[in-house]
Amino acid sequence: MSTMLGAYGALLRVEPGRCLELVADVHAFLHSRSRPRVPNAMVAICGAVRGAALVDSGEHEEGIEELRVARACADAIAAATDVVAMVALLEHGAATAVGRHDVVRAVTGWAERVLGAGGEAALLRAHRLTGLGRDRAAAAALAPVLDESAATALPWAQIEAFLLDCRLALRAERLPRARRSLARALELTADTGALRPLARAPAEIVDLMVRHLGGLGALDPAAVRVLSARQALGLDRHPVTLTARER
């Protein structure tokens, strides 16, 4: 379990190579013919973390398939909402990144069915409505996640929620709200160390962050780390240099 936690942490820090290195032995054990029976939760967590890291590393087809299998395992343990939420958000993000809209629809429908009124389900519902151009409905669906009346199982799901709120605010040309939501996402990133949501954020959100870089006060180091992680994934056109203190 400690190895899997290390792999999960590496994924959230946007270190896919390290993540895959840590998860390799666990994955081999879980797929060996001679292994004893292990909980579906472990299989689901391993598959989701490995699949997301594969997508981050450019191995899109294998990663998406690994995440699909992880969802099937998680479906058998629907009562474990934290595992279901993790699998759902990782698969949804990976499928969105590679343009697999069929998978996005499938995982959103599954999460809404299994998680019900949970915060992650509301977040994915808001994403679905945003994709349909129903921004007001998306904002209404997202509101309980932002004010925490719909609790999330994953701390970094709150980062995802504020990033979506930022995106909706930018689309509505509500720049003060967009800046506030970005600042809250950066605060949570600094608190949790989970760089991945912001590192994989849409370009318009990253552009907003870059425009304010140097004026974010205590949040500047987190923004610099995010941009560095984004560059490592090959997603960013903004060069960034870390100071010794920021490293």
Side-chain angles (χ1 to χ4, degrees):
M1 181 58 76
S2 61
T3 301
M4 277 309 311
L5 289 174
Y8 186 34
L11 177 72
L12 294 179
R13 292 192 303 272
V14 196
E15 300 171 4
R18 178 59 176 159
C19 175
L20 291 171
E21 178 184 326
L22 287 169
V23 84
D25 287 344
V26 179
H27 181 262
F29 168 75
L30 292 176
H31 289 79
S32 65
R33 293 183 178 181
S34 60
R35 70 168 172 83
R37 182 173 178 81
V38 296
N40 279 334
M42 176 63 77
V43 180
I45 291 168
C46 179
V49 169
R50 183 173 184 270
L54 284 168
V55 171
D56 284 356
S57 299
E59 301 291 337
H60 297 168
E61 187 174 340
E62 185 180 356
I64 290 295
E65 175 59 17
E66 189 86 7
L67 283 156
R68 184 195 66 77
V69 174
R71 175 167 28 113
C73 290
D75 194 46
I77 51 165
T81 55
D82 53 344
V83 176
V84 172
M86 186 194 75
V87 171
L89 286 196
L90 289 179
E91 186 179 15
H92 182 276
T96 300
V98 302
R100 286 292 304 271
H101 303 299
D102 57 327
V103 177
V104 170
R105 288 192 296 272
V107 71
T108 299
W110 172 69
E112 290 185 16
R113 173 176 59 82
V114 175
L115 293 174
E120 282 83 4
L123 173 59
L124 293 182
R125 190 176 305 117
H127 272 295
R128 175 173 58 80
L129 292 166
T130 301
L132 294 172
R134 298 175 57 190
D135 288 11
R136 287 189 178 181
L142 189 61
V145 187
L146 299 176
D147 66 19
E148 300 185 28
S149 58
T152 56
L154 308 172
W156 56 271
Q158 280 285 315
I159 304 175
E160 297 271 11
F162 279 101
L163 291 176
L164 180 54
D165 190 61
C166 179
R167 184 183 177 198
L168 289 168
L170 286 172
R171 282 163 57 142
E173 298 184 352
R174 300 175 63 189
L175 293 181
R177 178 166 186 134
R179 288 193 291 266
R180 287 195 300 272
S181 291
L182 174 60
R184 185 62 182 133
L186 278 166
E187 287 174 2
L188 292 167
T189 297
D191 289 344
T192 63
L195 301 174
R196 195 170 186 271
L198 254 170
R200 297 197 68 95
E204 63 267 31
I205 294 176
V206 177
D207 286 343
L208 177 66
M209 184 170 64
V210 169
R211 288 200 302 271
H212 290 84
L213 196 62
L216 295 168
L219 299 176
D220 268 322
V224 170
R225 290 189 180 92
V226 166
L227 291 174
S228 181
R230 192 172 170 88
Q231 277 188 297
L233 291 174
L235 298 175
D236 207 343
R237 60 186 180 274
H238 301 292
V240 63
T241 301
L242 290 174
T243 66
R245 178 183 175 186
E246 287 164 342
R247 292 190 196 96

